[in-house]
Amino acid sequence: MPRPITSPTNPLLKRTALLRKPARQRKENVFLAEGAREIARALDAHLTVETLLISDESLLQQLPSLHPDTDCAILPDNLLKKLTYHDEPEGLLAIVKRPAWPDSLLDTAPRILVAVGTAKPGNLGAMARTAAAFNFDLILAAGDTVDPFNPNAIRTSTGAVFTLPILSRSLDDLHTWLRALPQRRPSGRVLAAEVMASTDYRKATYTSPIAILIGPEDTGLTPETLAAVDNARGKRVRIPMNYATVDSLNASTAAALFMAEAARRTL
């Protein structure tokens, strides 16, 4: 049975309010999931729901069975609305433990999408959704990227961020990894999206293991990152389009084209 909370000074409410800050979530290794669909998907992905906050006990019927150790609290709408993100909250908010993905995936994952400097939650969420659809094994989020468990990233991914491994690394770490790839993944391929490249992305080779790099849509991959790709014996490729009209594609759209092409070669 949910325990009732009526005071705005309750320690759980204070903690949940702090968890609205991404830095606090990362520090505690948790994230917030809001709404029946997202919480149900987290449960279906076998993630640990530490705490569930609800405005009405009947809402529990919308979720799979909770673990007996899950702390469940019921509180008035006016208190819950102060903690939720949605303009029209459903009355369900969960504190969920983040999944732990091993670093060894960087050496063993056959298909890796490297999202460099993806600052928009919707873009990263869309990339995760597409990566899951086309059987990619890992997203490496490199540089100054958004948190994959940002509420908008979760929503746009339709829960793919709960099951698709996503590792976050600095740009320096990415460059170090790329330089070591010829030794660590001798048969691996690296493709980097660059608008000035001479090779059409449809003419590239997509055999696994492969890593595909997509940079920020406004600036693209930096010269340092492209140099690291070159050192990894990678290939720069472009997406043909009408550059007189637009100078770039949305990052998640570009990533989708690459991943769809990789899937087309193997389906």
Side-chain angles (χ1 to χ4, degrees):
M1 294 290 292
R3 59 187 177 94
I5 292 178
T6 57
S7 171
T9 61
N10 181 278
L12 174 58
L13 299 193
K14 288 184 175 181
R15 181 201 175 202
T16 307
L18 290 174
L19 287 174
R20 286 175 57 88
K21 299 178 180 179
R24 184 76 179 202
Q25 291 184 25
R26 290 190 293 270
K27 181 179 179 180
E28 295 197 27
N29 199 34
V30 297
F31 66 91
L32 296 179
E34 181 178 346
R37 185 179 70 167
E38 292 175 5
I39 297 171
R41 284 174 170 163
L43 289 167
D44 289 341
H46 305 294
L47 299 186
T48 300
V49 174
E50 295 182 353
T51 303
L52 180 66
L53 303 176
I54 58 174
S55 61
D56 190 293
E57 191 170 350
S58 64
L59 295 172
L60 291 174
Q61 299 174 12
Q62 301 180 34
L63 302 176
S65 297
L66 296 172
H67 190 278
D69 293 338
T70 303
D71 179 24
C72 186
I74 186 168
L75 55 155
D77 276 332
N78 65 311
L79 292 183
L80 188 57
K81 285 181 179 179
K82 293 180 180 179
L83 305 173
T84 55
Y85 297 97
H86 296 179
D87 292 334
E88 297 181 4
E90 298 177 32
L92 296 126
L93 183 68
I95 301 173
V96 187
K97 188 173 178 60
R98 294 182 179 228
W101 305 113
D103 292 342
S104 59
L105 286 172
L106 289 169
D107 292 327
T108 61
R111 292 179 172 184
I112 301 175
L113 176 70
V114 184
V116 183
T118 305
K120 296 179 181 178
N123 275 348
L124 189 60
M127 288 178 183
R129 181 177 183 176
T130 306
F134 288 128
N135 295 320
F136 268 63
D137 305 283
L138 172 69
I139 290 181
L140 173 57
D144 187 14
T145 61
V146 69
D147 186 344
F149 295 104
N150 174 286
N152 289 332
I154 293 174
R155 189 179 308 114
T156 309
S157 79
T158 63
V161 294
F162 299 155
T163 55
L164 178 71
I166 302 177
L167 296 176
S168 298
R169 294 293 184 272
S170 69
L171 270 182
D172 286 342
D173 288 341
L174 170 63
H175 298 162
T176 299
W177 178 71
L178 286 170
R179 286 191 291 268
L181 275 184
Q183 291 74 42
R184 300 172 72 169
R185 293 161 66 103
S187 62
R189 297 184 180 276
V190 179
L191 298 180
E194 185 197 18
V195 295
M196 301 302 293
S198 58
T199 302
D200 186 322
Y201 81 104
R202 295 167 294 184
K203 304 296 184 183
T205 301
Y206 286 84
T207 52
S208 298
I210 188 170
I212 298 174
L213 278 74
I214 304 292
E217 55 203 55
D218 54 344
T219 60
L221 297 169
T222 66
E224 292 78 12
T225 300
L226 289 170
V229 169
D230 295 340
N231 289 336
R233 300 198 295 269
K235 194 166 191 64
R236 307 183 189 190
V237 291
R238 64 179 175 84
I239 299 171
M241 60 183 184
N242 183 0
Y243 287 100
T245 305
V246 294
D247 59 2
S248 67
L249 290 176
N250 174 276
S252 63
T253 300
L257 289 173
F258 276 94
M259 290 188 284
E261 184 66 16
R264 186 184 72 82
R265 304 291 184 91
T266 56
L267 292 177

